[in-house]
Structure formats: structure tokens, C-alpha cells
Amino acid sequence: MSCHSQIWLNSPMLEPVRASYRNDKPMEWVRVYALPDFVYFNHSIHVSKGVGCTTCHGPIADMALTWRASSLQMEWCMDCHKQPEKYVRPREAVFNPSYQPPSNQLELGTKLVAEYKIQSLTHCSTCHR
């Protein structure tokens, strides 16, 4: 239940999700984001480096129905890969759907990039394998 154990937990719309979890019966999902098969993506490395859910998925806590908040096209991803200090946040805030970047984001981000040993990975083979 991860996110929905904290967000929209009493929403009638999510009763099918809760029932699926209670009954251990899989749900049929409508995919919101789909990357091409030739693109490699791993959530865990982004989470461990301080990239928050809302950075890519938008204001998920405010979405009664999830929509595609970003294109996830290569140019969009490359902006973050080239300038991670603009997007990285403290690890303890990665799952905070209400997180807002502070006014000193570049200063904080530069510090976190060094602390978390974030590399600016822009070689094609980073994502295309």
C-alpha cells in the first residue's frame, strides 16, 4: 500500500485498491507512465540520491486521479541529470508529497549533490542499454 497507506487513505475511490490489498488479489492497472523498452530506469537509485516522488510525478497528493505531470522524454530527464542541484532534496523528504523546494535550493542542492555523491550522468549508456 506504500503511498496509499498515507495519502487518500479514506477515499472511496481507492476502496478497490484497499480491497485488493486485503484480499491479496491483484488489480488491473491503467498505466500512466510508460517508458520505451530500450530505456533503463531504476526508481531506487533516484530515491537514494534524494529525488522526490513529486519531482517527476507532480503533486501526487493533490491528484484524485493520477495524471501524467511530466513527459519523461529524454530532454526532460537530461535537465535533471545535467543540473541535479536544482532538484535534489534531503533524503528524509523524498516521500513527502507536500515538499516545496526552499528559496536557497541551489545552495542546498549543491551541498546535497556533494554529500550524496551524485554524479551528473549524461552518457547515453546511463539510460540506453
Side-chain angles (χ1 to χ4, degrees):
M1 289 291 291
S2 61
C3 290
H4 291 306
S5 67
Q6 300 173 42
I7 300 170
W8 296 91
L9 48 144
N10 296 318
S11 169
M13 188 182 311
L14 292 177
E15 180 51 34
V17 175
R18 291 189 293 273
S20 169
Y21 182 74
R22 274 194 312 272
N23 301 327
D24 195 29
K25 186 176 177 187
M27 289 188 61
E28 286 188 43
W29 290 101
V30 175
R31 185 176 285 273
V32 175
Y33 289 99
L35 294 175
D37 289 341
F38 58 83
V39 175
Y40 173 78
F41 179 83
N42 184 325
H43 272 102
S44 66
I45 190 66
H46 290 82
V47 168
S48 71
K49 296 294 184 177
V51 178
C53 302
T54 57
T55 302
C56 302
H57 297 291
I60 197 75
D62 298 331
M63 296 179 187
L65 285 175
T66 305
W67 69 81
R68 187 179 304 174
S70 56
S71 71
L72 299 188
Q73 298 220 351
M74 189 171 84
E75 180 180 16
W76 185 87
C77 295
M78 290 297 287
D79 184 51
C80 187
H81 275 245
K82 289 177 181 176
Q83 302 175 80
E85 64 279 358
K86 289 172 52 179
Y87 305 97
V88 68
R89 64 176 77 171
R91 286 185 179 128
E92 62 272 9
V94 166
F95 297 109
N96 178 352
S98 302
Y99 181 83
Q100 293 296 315
S103 60
N104 68 336
Q105 175 60 40
L106 290 180
E107 179 185 335
L108 173 64
T110 300
K111 176 182 162 277
L112 293 175
V113 164
E115 182 181 331
Y116 298 165
K117 298 177 176 42
I118 296 173
Q119 302 171 38
S120 182
L121 300 176
T122 58
H123 191 275
C124 301
S125 65
T126 301
C127 302
H128 297 279
R129 299 183 180 180

